Amino acid sequence: MLIGLARSLADKSLPTRIAQRLICLCLVLAAGPAFAMPSGCGLPEITSARELQQFLSLRAVEVIKRAANRDDGLTALIASSASFSLGAGDVGRPLGTGVAGARELARTMNADTYRFFGWDYMDMPADACSRHKAVVEFIDSHAKNVSRMEFVFESGRVVSATGWERSYVSGRL
């Protein structure tokens, strides 16, 4: 097949061959985005701040879910030196580092739901591989506690998670 293509190109005049090559080049360049690889840090190709905030907030939730369920896939999401702490009242509580720290955080929070705010601002470009923060609230609805956690990510991996636990009161209007 390739030999036949080469012969047909050789039989054409020079301007025709140049035009065909330009068309092939344009098609390759146009198809490039369809074959986009993940970013250099292993994250999906995320280019907007809105997408990145959503992705990292859900990644924080995934970390806590996996930590609570003793999931072995946790090591890919957390730096081994990542620090975890959760203050309560007027006392800060360091909970450890790495996977063990994440598991202790999940155990301490005992969350059954979560929430985070959406990106309600004008969207802008973002580099997914740089350092970013995501704030997620984890709620223990039985004990009426909410833990507001700030996760710091580098290249999509948690490098720290710090927060404060507070009691809350809710009711219907």
Side-chain angles (χ1 to χ4, degrees):
M1 183 175 152
L2 291 176
I3 295 172
L5 180 61
R7 284 186 183 145
S8 69
L9 286 176
D11 294 341
K12 309 271 182 187
S13 66
L14 182 61
T16 304
R17 283 185 287 177
I18 291 172
Q20 287 174 335
R21 288 181 182 165
L22 285 174
I23 290 171
C24 287
L25 178 64
C26 290
L27 289 173
V28 168
L29 290 175
F35 299 105
M37 300 297 283
S39 62
C41 60
L43 293 177
E45 192 64 39
I46 297 173
T47 57
S48 80
R50 179 176 286 121
E51 279 182 289
L52 184 59
Q53 187 266 344
Q54 174 88 9
F55 179 85
L56 293 178
S57 296
L58 289 173
R59 169 131 323 162
V61 171
E62 180 182 3
V63 164
I64 297 304
K65 278 184 187 178
R66 286 184 175 202
N69 295 322
R70 314 290 287 166
D71 188 323
D72 292 334
L74 201 53
T75 56
L77 303 176
I78 300 173
S80 60
S81 61
S83 61
F84 294 87
S85 67
L86 179 64
D90 58 357
V91 178
R93 296 179 292 182
L95 299 174
T97 58
V99 171
R103 288 194 171 125
E104 184 61 20
L105 175 64
R107 187 196 65 73
T108 302
M109 290 190 305
N110 194 34
D112 52 21
T113 59
Y114 68 88
R115 80 175 197 169
F116 59 86
F117 294 118
W119 186 271
D120 299 321
Y121 319 102
M122 184 170 57
D123 207 3
M124 58 187 167
D127 173 15
C129 294
S130 61
R131 186 178 184 99
H132 295 281
K133 296 177 182 178
V135 175
V136 179
E137 293 177 342
F138 294 92
I139 302 156
D140 176 354
S141 59
H142 302 294
K144 297 287 189 187
N145 290 324
V146 62
S147 300
R148 185 176 189 273
M149 299 298 302
E150 180 180 86
F151 289 80
V152 178
F153 293 89
E154 285 183 9
S155 298
R157 295 182 77 202
V158 175
V159 295
S160 73
T162 59
W164 216 261
E165 181 182 75
R166 304 276 317 263
S167 61
Y168 73 92
V169 176
S170 65
R172 298 185 60 95
L173 294 176

